[in-house]
Amino acid sequence: RNSNGPLLTAAVQAVGGVPIDLGIGRDDPDELHRLISTGLEADVLLLSGGVSAGDFDLVPDTLSKIGVRNVFHRISLRPGKPLWFGVLASQSRQTLVFGLPGNPVSSFVCFELFVRPALRQLAGHGFRGLHQQEARLSGPLSHRGGRATFRPARWENQDDPIVKIVPWQNSADLAALAAANCLVVLPAEPLQLDSGSVVPILLI
């Protein structure tokens, strides 16, 4: 099921962009080359999936053959490690290319952390870092660490914000994302937090 297309279309519209849906690109080099070439006519190209390390993750190689300069590929983030970013530049213009992971939670988190700030800046709003606030955990939380992590959660009570971690299976757990209205921001270091501990959250 293509959940990422509607998700990213809505996210682009919410930040003031005009999305152009190129449809689903199959795992075929010729079809990907055609669709990506069309997408590179825009100011920003968002791709979802095909950027990991599997045999059918053909996006990085296709972008390279078209001439898109790779800026970085893979980051220390959970969810969202496979993120790819590059630029196609000419004398007259440039296109920013974001290769988002295919799993929906990863795709959304990478949009919030990387694509949304870029679109805001392109729209003339200037660069602004992530707008975080603090909330108290409704229960204990064990964080294994290893990578910076953005956990789906729900917060309530604006006067004294309380945040409850949403049960989350993995980066494909779209139901957890649909139940969330914020992301709890956790560091790369392991943590054992008690109920009532104050944590940073990113509203979504």
Side-chain angles (χ1 to χ4, degrees):
R1 299 294 186 267
N2 176 22
S3 62
N4 289 355
L7 183 152
L8 294 174
T9 294
V12 169
Q13 290 173 330
V15 80
V18 180
I20 301 169
D21 187 357
L22 299 176
I24 297 174
R26 305 296 176 187
D27 295 325
D28 175 80
D30 292 335
E31 182 176 0
L32 288 178
H33 191 285
R34 177 181 62 81
L35 290 172
I36 289 173
S37 297
T38 300
L40 288 171
E41 297 173 4
D43 297 313
V44 180
L45 173 60
L46 300 184
L47 304 164
S48 181
V51 293
S52 294
D55 292 339
F56 295 101
D57 290 312
L58 307 176
V59 167
D61 186 56
T62 303
L63 290 168
S64 176
K65 289 179 179 177
I66 293 176
V68 180
R69 177 176 63 88
N70 174 264
V71 177
F72 63 80
H73 185 198
R74 299 187 184 91
I75 55 176
S76 184
L77 177 68
R78 180 183 294 117
K81 181 179 179 181
L83 178 67
W84 192 101
F85 174 71
V87 179
L88 180 67
S90 66
Q91 292 183 344
S92 59
R93 63 188 300 273
Q94 70 173 9
T95 298
L96 305 181
V97 181
F98 294 89
L100 306 177
N103 280 325
V105 183
S106 299
S107 198
F108 178 79
V109 168
C110 287
F111 182 94
E112 290 295 302
L113 300 188
F114 296 91
V115 182
R116 181 183 293 277
L119 293 182
R120 284 185 51 82
Q121 187 167 11
L122 288 174
H125 299 297
F127 180 78
R128 186 183 74 180
L130 299 176
H131 180 62
Q132 297 182 13
Q133 64 182 58
E134 293 184 334
R136 294 186 296 111
L137 286 172
S138 66
L141 173 63
S142 179
H143 171 55
R144 66 183 182 182
R147 282 180 275 164
T149 300
F150 288 73
R151 287 285 304 268
R154 287 198 65 82
W155 77 285
E156 55 188 27
N157 190 356
Q158 294 185 5
D159 296 328
D160 183 20
I162 302 296
V163 64
K164 180 180 181 180
I165 300 294
V166 173
W168 180 42
Q169 301 301 319
N170 52 46
S171 57
D173 191 350
L174 186 57
L177 181 61
N181 63 6
C182 72
L183 300 169
V184 170
V185 183
L186 300 169
E189 297 76 26
L191 292 175
Q192 188 68 46
L193 299 173
D194 296 327
S195 177
S197 296
V198 176
V199 292
I201 63 173
L202 178 66
L203 302 183
I204 56 175

